[in-house]
Amino acid sequence: MSPLVLLRIAAVIGFLFFIGHTSGAPWTLEDESGASSLVASMKAARVPELVPARTYWDFYFGFGVSISVYLFGLAAVLWQTASLSKRTFDAARPFMASLFVCYLGVGVVAARFFFLLPVLMATAVCLCIALAWWLGWRKHRVA
């Protein structure tokens, strides 16, 4: 398997990560025990220092949408890095390293604060990037 294929697989997993996160909006089930009163409190609590005034719900929902945008951007950069790795592997390596660190961070945060599925998706992306790095390094070392 080539670094190109592994990075494309990572990009597809990253895109599925984006789809999964986005489809979970608004990221809170209001019918769960206690959740609807919490959501109501978040929607009622205003932060008056901001103009226009925002609620804690606005922050919560806005950060969730921002994370979806970032996840989509990461998947797109992974796809582009795959193309770059085919043309010149050495130029792709810094992007691969940055993306690996980013997804590793996402996995650590997910393990600490969320649930298993995002941990598995971030781990799968990291494994694909690491294997692509290793295969590309091995191929260029031998050449």
Side-chain angles (χ1 to χ4, degrees), residues 3-4 7 77-78 80-102 129-141:
L4 170 74
L7 292 172
V77 172
L78 264 169
Q80 294 166 344
T81 301
S83 298
L84 183 60
S85 76
K86 184 177 181 182
R87 289 192 303 274
T88 170
F89 183 76
D90 287 339
R93 287 175 52 208
F95 295 100
M96 292 168 66
S98 296
L99 289 163
F100 179 86
V101 169
C102 187
I129 294 170
L131 187 55
W133 180 290
W134 181 74
L135 288 174
W137 171 81
R138 199 177 88 184
K139 178 180 175 185
H140 286 83
R141 185 186 67 148

Side-chain angles (χ1 to χ4, degrees), residues 108-115:
V108 168
V109 169
R112 172 64 178 91
F113 296 105
F114 303 121
F115 48 94

